[in-house]
């Protein structure tokens, strides 16, 4: 299987009040095309910092991050911006959208900024509406973002993240601000995208969310201390079994 992301000896250091804070230390892992991986760990372990570092949103201090054959440390800011726009999709706990645009216009915005797909605005709108229909939110396409629920808005964020057909989605606590029903709905859509071939790397503190992934990386004090593997594309009847097995492993890791 093709490797889409390679991380070698990654370090990230911040200087705060002249004190060196080593947030990430010698992190190594790879992500293969079509995988769905969760990053877990205690608060302050460096999970979000890791996500930002490997997606080029934040510069690393040392080491190497290679995404789709490109060494991110060697890319200029404009090259990184183009890579994030065209080949990466992002979903955050806080659902950042422009208040002066409708939900649909927010969804198509990345496609309008990119020339990757070489299509007309009409074709982009048609695809976006199809995506929104798949995720069950077509009826809110013309709404303002303050007129919809959190679950609907997060599903719109998923639509936005895939509108440019990225190689990989990076998600930082995508269900963290949602109730259980909305969280389950969002994860249903993320797992569906993964089944269709989209690679996903997500940060989560939720065992139910992580149990739907095929691999879990456990981060402690900026370093991967353990890795747990689950079957890919499990049947719904095995959900509780997977959650129990993962919970047991997390307890052993000191969760």
């Amino acid at each position: 299987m093709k490797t889409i992301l390679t991380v070698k000896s990654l370090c990230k250091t911040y200087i705060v009040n002249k004190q060196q804070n080593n947030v990430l230390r010698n992190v190594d892992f790879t992500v293969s095309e079509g995988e769905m991986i969760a990053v877990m760990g205690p608060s302050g372990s460096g999970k979000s910092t890791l996500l930002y570092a490997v997606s080029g949103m934040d510069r690393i201090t040392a080491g190497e991050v290679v995404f789709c054959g490109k060494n991110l440390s060697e890319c200029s800011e404009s090259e990184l911006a183009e890579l994030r726009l065209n080949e990466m999709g992002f979903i955050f706990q806080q659902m950042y959208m422009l208040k002066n645009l409708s939900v649909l216009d927010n969804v198509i915005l990345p496609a309008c900024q990119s020339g990757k797909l070489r299509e007309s605005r009409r074709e982009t709108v048609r695809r976006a509406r199809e995506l929104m229909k798949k995720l069950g939110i077509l009826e809110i396409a013309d709404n303002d973002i303050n007129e919809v629920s959190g679950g609907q808005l997060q599903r719109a964020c998923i639509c936005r993240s895939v509108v440019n057909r990225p190689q990989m989605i990076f998600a930082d606590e995508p269900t963290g601000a949602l109730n259980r029903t909305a969280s389950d709905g969002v994860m249903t859509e993320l797992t569906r995208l993964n089944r269709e071939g989209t690679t996903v790397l997500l940060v989560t503190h939720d065992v139910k969310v992580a149990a739907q992934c095929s691999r879990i990386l456990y981060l402690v004090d900026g370093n991967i201390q353990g890795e747990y593997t689950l079957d890919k594309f499990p049947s719904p009847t095995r959900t509780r079994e997977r959650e129990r097995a993962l919970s047991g492993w997390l307890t052993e890791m000191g969760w």
Side-chain angles (χ1 to χ4, degrees):
M1 192 175 293
K2 177 183 175 183
T3 299
I4 193 170
L5 178 69
T6 301
V7 180
K8 294 181 179 179
S9 303
L10 187 156
C11 297
K12 178 62 182 178
T13 300
Y14 293 104
I15 305 297
V16 181
N17 295 326
K18 299 183 180 180
Q19 296 294 316
Q20 185 170 291
N21 183 12
N22 300 312
V23 183
L24 299 173
R25 298 177 298 154
N26 298 315
V27 176
D28 296 278
F29 69 97
T30 61
V31 179
S32 297
E33 195 173 45
E35 278 197 288
M36 186 167 177
I37 299 175
V39 179
M40 303 187 77
S43 296
S45 59
K47 301 184 296 297
S48 294
T49 301
L50 177 63
L51 192 78
Y52 298 155
V54 301
S55 62
M57 286 193 290
D58 196 5
R59 292 286 188 176
I60 65 176
T61 304
E64 185 176 81
V65 177
V66 178
F67 176 79
C68 291
K70 293 185 177 181
N71 188 331
L72 300 191
S73 295
E74 298 175 354
C75 293
S76 66
E77 290 302 323
S78 61
E79 288 172 333
L80 284 174
E82 185 176 351
L83 196 63
R84 290 192 297 264
L85 176 64
N86 293 323
E87 306 302 339
M88 301 177 182
F90 295 92
I91 307 168
F92 302 98
Q93 180 176 351
Q94 299 300 321
M95 291 154 263
Y96 302 107
M97 285 196 167
L98 297 180
K99 295 180 180 179
N100 60 325
L101 298 180
S102 68
V103 174
L104 175 62
D105 284 341
N106 269 285
V107 169
I108 68 172
L109 186 59
C112 292
Q113 295 175 317
S114 169
K116 174 186 177 183
L117 301 179
R118 301 181 184 278
E119 63 186 10
S120 66
R121 179 183 172 86
R122 178 178 293 182
E123 177 63 15
T124 299
V125 169
R126 184 193 64 78
R127 283 198 308 106
R129 292 179 70 87
E130 285 181 356
L131 282 170
M132 295 180 76
K133 184 177 181 180
K134 275 186 178 181
L135 272 67
I137 55 170
L138 183 57
E139 72 277 5
I140 67 165
D142 297 322
N143 287 44
D144 292 337
I145 64 170
N146 59 358
E147 296 175 333
V148 300
S149 70
Q152 288 174 319
L153 200 59
Q154 193 63 300
R155 279 181 280 169
C157 289
I158 294 174
C159 292
R160 182 181 60 184
S161 74
V162 299
V163 74
N164 278 345
R165 296 176 179 152
Q167 296 286 331
M168 186 170 177
I169 290 177
F170 297 88
D172 188 10
E173 298 282 6
T175 64
L178 305 176
N179 61 33
R180 177 50 60 191
T181 299
S183 173
D184 290 345
V186 165
M187 286 308 300
T188 295
E189 299 309 328
L190 280 178
T191 53
R192 180 181 62 78
L193 287 169
N194 181 241
R195 286 175 182 270
E196 293 173 356
T198 303
T199 308
V200 180
L201 178 67
L202 64 87
V203 166
T204 186
H205 66 276
D206 190 329
V207 174
K208 283 178 66 69
V209 169
Q212 297 179 59
C213 299
S214 55
R215 189 152 57 107
I216 294 87
L217 305 178
Y218 192 75
L219 201 67
V220 178
D221 294 334
N223 190 261
I224 295 174
Q225 298 294 316
E227 182 176 314
Y228 191 75
T229 303
L230 290 161
D231 294 337
K232 196 171 184 179
F233 308 145
S235 64
T237 57
R238 295 190 56 203
T239 300
R240 291 292 179 87
E241 177 187 338
R242 289 168 69 90
E243 290 173 12
R244 284 194 296 268
L246 178 56
S247 292
W249 179 75
L250 289 170
T251 299
E252 292 176 4
M253 295 300 298
W255 176 256

